[in-house]
Amino acid sequence: MRRTAVTSMLAVAALVGLIGLSRAAEPPHVTFVPKAPGTVTQSQLVYLSGEGTQSQWRGVASKKYLGASSGTKFYQWYLSIYAIDGSTYHLKYRSPGNGAPLDVVEKAPGSPMWFPMQDLSIVGAAELMQPSVQQLVVHSHQTGADCGTAHISVLGYDNASGKVVPEVVVDNGCELQAKIVHGTQGDTLSLTGPYYGPKAPLCCPTKPKATATLAYRNGKWVETPRYFDLYVKRFPAF
């Protein structure tokens, strides 16, 4: 009986060791080259290229203050994605700069205001497409004169090109939120926002609070029910 207990303990220890090797700890002191612009608001560890000792990536959200008008503060937001090499994170993707989801904020002519107004947050890291390989899930919102447009961007790593790419982007008028749901068949996204029918104006959604599930099944992105617009492998035209 004692031998059985010892054997079980060794098996557990071996399993823990394998897990530790596959998802190695981040070095205690890291640097970012170049640093994210402005003030960092979030920094998310993510394994875009799989789990290993040199496969850590970081998604960093930051903002730079531009000015204020009538009590409203204006910021340029940034999304910076880094890959580690030793103890240094090197920049691999930045928005704006390399692409969406963020535009360059510009000062309106003859006015102390900047457009578009922006907001950005990192939802988290999720294994949406296959085990042990994660994607970075990002929420962004931009607006001009109306309630604007919200996007949930799922960003991954393309081994063939060696670049960060959009795996899928969900688009919705006014607002859209996402939550990562961990399940036995892999992670999914729970999407919540107003649903607009084909002829519904932005002021009057067909369903003020609709919820859908986004999952990757058999090589395809599936949204159930289909409330929000999907853009596979590309960003929508902003």
Side-chain angles (χ1 to χ4, degrees):
M1 189 169 183
R2 181 178 296 175
R3 180 178 297 175
T4 302
V6 171
T7 302
S8 299
M9 291 174 65
L10 290 174
V12 171
L15 179 60
V16 171
L18 287 173
I19 294 174
L21 286 173
S22 63
R23 182 174 287 186
E26 190 177 43
H29 303 289
V30 297
T31 56
F32 292 82
V33 179
K35 293 182 178 180
T39 302
V40 172
T41 60
Q42 285 179 279
S43 181
Q44 172 70 53
L45 179 65
V46 57
Y47 291 86
L48 291 182
S49 53
E51 299 174 353
T53 56
Q54 285 294 314
S55 62
Q56 291 104 339
W57 294 66
R58 279 267 171 189
V60 178
S62 64
K63 62 181 181 179
K64 183 180 290 186
Y65 178 73
L66 299 177
S69 176
S70 301
T72 299
K73 294 182 179 180
F74 298 89
Y75 295 93
Q76 172 68 66
W77 280 85
Y78 296 90
L79 174 65
S80 305
I81 301 178
Y82 298 85
I84 202 166
D85 183 9
S87 60
T88 301
Y89 277 103
H90 295 278
L91 182 66
K92 298 298 181 181
Y93 187 91
R94 177 167 288 162
S95 178
N98 297 122
L102 296 170
D103 290 329
V104 175
V105 178
E106 297 181 327
K107 192 173 185 294
S111 171
M113 303 181 74
W114 286 258
F115 293 101
M117 297 179 67
Q118 296 178 327
D119 190 28
L120 177 83
S121 62
I122 297 174
V123 179
E127 296 180 9
L128 296 167
M129 303 178 71
Q130 66 184 84
S132 301
V133 177
Q134 295 180 328
Q135 293 77 46
L136 186 70
V137 184
V138 178
H139 167 270
S140 59
H141 183 269
Q142 298 193 136
T143 182
D146 54 19
C147 63
T149 304
H151 296 96
I152 300 299
S153 303
V154 177
L155 301 171
Y157 176 73
D158 180 59
N159 287 298
S161 65
K163 295 182 178 180
V164 175
V165 297
E167 299 292 356
V168 66
V169 180
V170 191
D171 174 282
N172 196 49
C174 293
E175 190 52 86
L176 184 64
Q177 298 292 333
K179 180 182 178 182
I180 298 170
V181 179
H182 304 292
T184 56
Q185 295 185 342
D187 296 341
T188 60
L189 293 182
S190 177
L191 305 170
T192 303
Y195 164 64
Y196 297 91
K199 297 182 179 180
L202 289 177
C203 68
C204 310
T206 306
K207 191 172 183 178
K209 188 175 182 179
T211 299
T213 298
L214 180 64
Y216 189 76
R217 297 289 182 261
N218 300 317
K220 295 182 179 180
W221 292 100
V222 180
E223 180 191 351
T224 310
R226 187 66 182 268
Y227 286 135
F228 314 115
D229 294 331
L230 295 185
Y231 297 83
V232 178
K233 293 290 185 182
R234 66 186 179 96
F235 287 102
F238 296 150

